[in-house]
C-alpha cells in the first residue's frame, strides 16, 4: 500500500467500515490497550497502602463493599463475554462481523478489569479480603459481601440470562440479557459505583485505584454504547412488525424494573448500611442512578411501553426492604460457607 494513502480511502471488503460497531471496535484497538501490570508498576502501591492504613475500620468497610462488587462483577461480565460473542453471531441480527469484532474487544477488556481489581485488592486491601481466591465456576461462591447484597443476585441472574440468549435464544431472550448486562450492570450499577467512588476519593484519595477506575470507565462507555445499539436493532425490527421480535420492548422494560431493585439494594448496602463514613449520600446516588436509567430507557431507546411510575415504585420498594435488612448477618453466614468451601478445596 502507498504510504500516502489515507485510511479514509481504504477499500471495504466484507467488513463494513461505516458501522457503529466497527467504530467502537477501532476505538477499543486504539484506546483499550492500557496494561494493568504496567499501570500498577508505574504508579506503585505505596501511596494507596499508606492511605489505606490510615483509614478507620468503617471507612475501610465502605471501600471493601464497593470494591467487592466491582471485582465479582468484572469477573462475572468477563465470564459471560463468550456468550455475547455467540449471541451476536446469531441470525437474529442482519450483520454479525463487526459485532463479533467488538465483542472480542469487550472480552479482553473485561478480563483486564478483573485483573486490575485482583491486583489491587490482593496488594492493598488484603486485611479486608482474607477470603477471596475461590473461582465461582469451580465450586466457589462470590465474596461474602457481594453475596449479601443485590449485586450478587444480579450477577447470578446475568449468567442465566446470558446462557439463555447464547444457546438458541430468541430476540426477546437476547433483549432481556442485553438489558441486564449493558443497562443494568454496566450502565447503572457500575456507573453508579463511579459516582460513589468519586465522592469517597474526596476524603480518601487512592491514586492507583483512581487511575484504574479512569481507564475502566472509559472502556465501559463503549460497552454500554454497544449494548444500546444491539437493543435498538431489535426494537427497530419489532416496530417493523416482524413476528419473532414482538415483545422485545416489553422484555427490556421488565428486566430494567427487576434490576433496579438489585441496584438500589446495592446502593444502600455501600452507603446507609455502613453509616456512609465517606459521604457518598444514598439519596444522591439514587438520583444519579435514576438519571442514568432515564437517559438510556427513555431518551436513547425511547421505549413505547415504559411507565416511569413502575420503575420508581420498584426502587422505593427495594429501599424499604434494604432499610430492614441485616446485611451483617448475611455476610457472616457466607463467611462460614466460604471458609468451608475453601477448606474442602485445600
Ligand atoms: Fe468491566
Ligand atoms: Fe463492560
Amino acid at each position: 500500500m502507498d504510504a500516502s494513502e489515507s485510511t479514509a480511502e481504504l477499500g471495504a471488503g466484507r467488513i463494513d467500515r461505516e458501522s457503529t460497531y466497527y467504530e467502537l471496535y477501532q476505538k477499543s484497538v486504539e484506546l483499550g490497550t492500557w496494561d494493568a501490570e504496567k499501570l500498577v508498576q508505574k504508579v506503585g502501591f505505596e501511596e494507596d497502602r499508606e492511605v489505606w492504613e490510615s483509614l478507620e475500620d468503617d471507612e475501610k468497610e465502605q471501600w471493601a463493599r464497593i470494591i467487592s462488587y466491582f471485582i465479582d462483577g468484572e469477573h462475572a461480565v468477563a465470564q459471560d463475554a463468550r456468550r455475547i460473542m455467540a449471541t451476536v453471531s446469531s441470525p437474529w441480527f442482519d450483520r454479525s462481523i463487526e459485532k463479533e469484532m467488538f465483542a472480542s474487544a469487550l472480552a479482553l477488556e473485561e478480563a483486564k478489569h478483573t485483573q486490575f481489581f485482583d491486583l489491587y485488592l490482593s496488594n492493598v486491601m488484603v486485611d479486608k479480603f482474607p477470603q477471596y481466591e475461590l473461582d465461582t465456576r469451580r465450586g466457589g461462591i462470590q465474596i461474602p459481601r457481594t453475596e449479601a447484597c443485590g449485586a450478587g443476585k444480579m450477577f447470578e441472574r446475568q449468567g442465566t440470562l446470558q446462557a439463555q440468549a447464547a444457546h438458541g435464544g430468541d430476540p426477546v431472550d437476547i433483549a432481556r440479557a442485553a438489558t441486564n448486562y449493558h443497562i443494568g450492570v454496566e450502565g447503572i450499577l457500575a456507573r453508579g459505583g463511579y459516582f460513589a467512588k468519586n465522592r469517597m476519593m474526596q476524603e480518601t484519595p487512592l491514586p492507583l485505584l483512581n487511575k484504574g477506575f479512569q481507564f475502566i470507565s472509559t472502556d465501559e462507555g463503549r460497552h454500554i454504547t454497544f449494548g444500546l445499539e444491539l437493543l435498538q436493532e431489535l426494537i427497530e425490527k419489532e416496530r417493523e412488525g416482524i413476528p419473532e421480535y414482538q415483545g422485545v420492548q416489553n422484555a427490556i422494560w421488565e428486566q430494567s424494573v427487576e434490576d433496579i431493585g438489585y441496584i438500589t439494594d446495592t446502593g444502600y448496602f455501600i452507603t446507609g448500611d455502613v453509616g456512609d463514613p465517606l459521604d457518598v449520600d444514598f439519596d444522591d446516588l439514587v438520583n444519579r442512578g435514576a438519571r442514568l436509567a432515564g437517559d438510556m430507557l427513555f431518551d436513547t431507546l425511547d421505549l413505547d411501553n415504559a411507565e416511569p411510575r413502575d420503575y420508581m415504585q420498584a426502587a422505593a420498594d427495594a429501599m424499604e426492604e434494604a432499610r430492614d435488612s441485616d446485611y451483617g448477618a448475611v455476610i457472616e453466614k457466607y463467611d462460614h460457607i466460604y471458609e468451608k468451601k475453601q477448606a474442602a478445596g485445600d
Side-chain angles (χ1 to χ4, degrees):
M1 186 178 89
D2 185 337
S4 67
E5 196 177 354
S6 81
T7 54
E9 290 158 339
L10 286 174
R14 65 182 61 183
I15 295 168
D16 175 8
R17 293 175 57 247
E18 303 292 309
S19 151
T20 308
Y21 301 99
Y22 177 80
E23 276 174 32
L24 289 168
Y25 164 79
Q26 247 335 92
K27 274 194 193 146
S28 274
V29 171
E30 285 172 35
L31 307 169
T33 53
W34 61 283
D35 177 333
E37 286 214 11
K38 276 199 186 128
L39 174 68
V40 160
Q41 278 158 10
K42 197 176 139 211
V43 181
F45 291 116
E46 293 72 20
E47 217 178 314
D48 288 61
R49 276 186 188 138
E50 216 169 283
V51 174
W52 181 252
E53 286 318 318
S54 75
L55 300 185
E56 300 290 337
D57 187 65
D58 59 343
E59 296 170 333
K60 282 188 177 181
E61 179 59 25
Q62 188 165 23
W63 273 116
R65 287 188 177 197
I66 188 169
I67 296 306
S68 144
Y69 90 68
F70 265 99
I71 175 74
D72 277 333
E74 295 291 3
H75 194 187
V77 291
Q79 287 173 320
D80 280 328
R82 66 198 164 91
R83 289 167 165 158
I84 293 180
M85 280 194 228
T87 300
V88 296
S89 68
S90 82
W92 297 116
F93 293 104
D94 292 337
R95 294 187 58 86
S96 64
I97 304 175
E98 303 81 12
K99 294 182 185 70
E100 288 169 29
M101 288 167 76
F102 182 75
S104 67
L106 176 146
L108 169 71
E109 287 162 10
E110 300 300 14
K112 203 191 304 181
H113 301 170
T114 310
Q115 175 196 11
F116 174 77
F117 284 115
D118 187 47
L119 283 166
Y120 193 84
L121 69 83
S122 47
N123 282 281
V124 178
M125 300 178 162
V126 205
D127 54 337
K128 277 284 174 186
F129 292 92
Q131 301 176 321
Y132 164 64
E133 308 78 17
L134 294 183
D135 182 347
T136 49
R137 298 263 164 108
R138 292 287 177 276
I141 57 168
Q142 303 177 101
I143 297 169
R145 286 185 189 83
T146 312
E147 290 282 357
C149 72
K153 291 175 196 83
M154 195 170 178
F155 302 148
E156 277 158 16
R157 189 86 171 96
Q158 176 194 298
T160 310
L161 293 173
Q162 286 292 341
Q164 277 165 352
H167 302 295
D170 62 20
V172 170
D173 296 324
I174 296 171
R176 217 177 266 286
T179 300
N180 165 271
Y181 192 108
H182 302 290
I183 293 182
V185 174
E186 298 183 314
I188 308 175
L189 188 66
R191 286 199 288 187
Y194 306 148
F195 175 86
K197 75 92 190 162
N198 282 337
R199 288 258 167 110
M200 291 160 73
M201 288 279 178
Q202 301 295 316
E203 300 209 23
T204 54
L206 296 159
L208 173 60
L209 183 62
N210 207 29
K211 198 77 210 152
F213 261 119
Q214 277 170 17
F215 283 120
I216 288 167
S217 60
T218 306
D219 293 344
E220 290 302 339
R222 293 190 297 277
H223 304 174
I224 296 162
T225 306
F226 166 78
L228 291 171
E229 283 289 324
L230 289 181
L231 290 169
Q232 273 168 313
E233 277 194 40
L234 298 174
I235 292 171
E236 222 167 275
K237 290 196 178 331
E238 179 179 28
R239 288 190 176 137
E240 283 167 21
I242 306 173
E244 291 88 344
Y245 294 78
Q246 300 311 303
V248 159
Q249 292 180 79
N250 206 31
I252 296 172
W253 183 244
E254 274 180 13
Q255 193 55 47
S256 301
V257 172
E258 182 187 326
D259 289 341
I260 198 61
Y262 302 133
I263 296 166
T264 307
D265 182 81
T266 310
Y268 186 74
F269 175 71
I270 63 164
T271 57
D273 189 61
V274 270
D276 199 16
L278 298 171
D279 297 326
V280 173
D281 194 300
F282 178 58
D283 292 335
D284 288 355
L285 184 58
V286 168
N287 286 333
R288 174 75 187 142
R291 246 198 326 274
L292 290 166
D295 286 352
M296 292 184 283
L297 298 167
F298 300 114
D299 297 345
T300 307
L301 298 182
D302 193 19
L303 295 180
D304 291 337
N305 56 335
E307 187 53 73
R309 221 182 316 132
D310 299 348
Y311 199 77
M312 298 321 285
Q313 191 56 51
D317 290 348
M319 238 180 263
E320 275 301 306
E321 243 178 84
R323 291 204 161 98
D324 293 335
S325 220
D326 186 356
Y327 297 98
V330 187
I331 293 176
E332 216 170 288
K333 182 181 105 190
Y334 279 106
D335 268 337
H336 291 303
I337 298 174
Y338 206 106
E339 256 169 52
K340 273 193 199 143
K341 281 187 177 280
Q342 217 169 8
D346 284 343

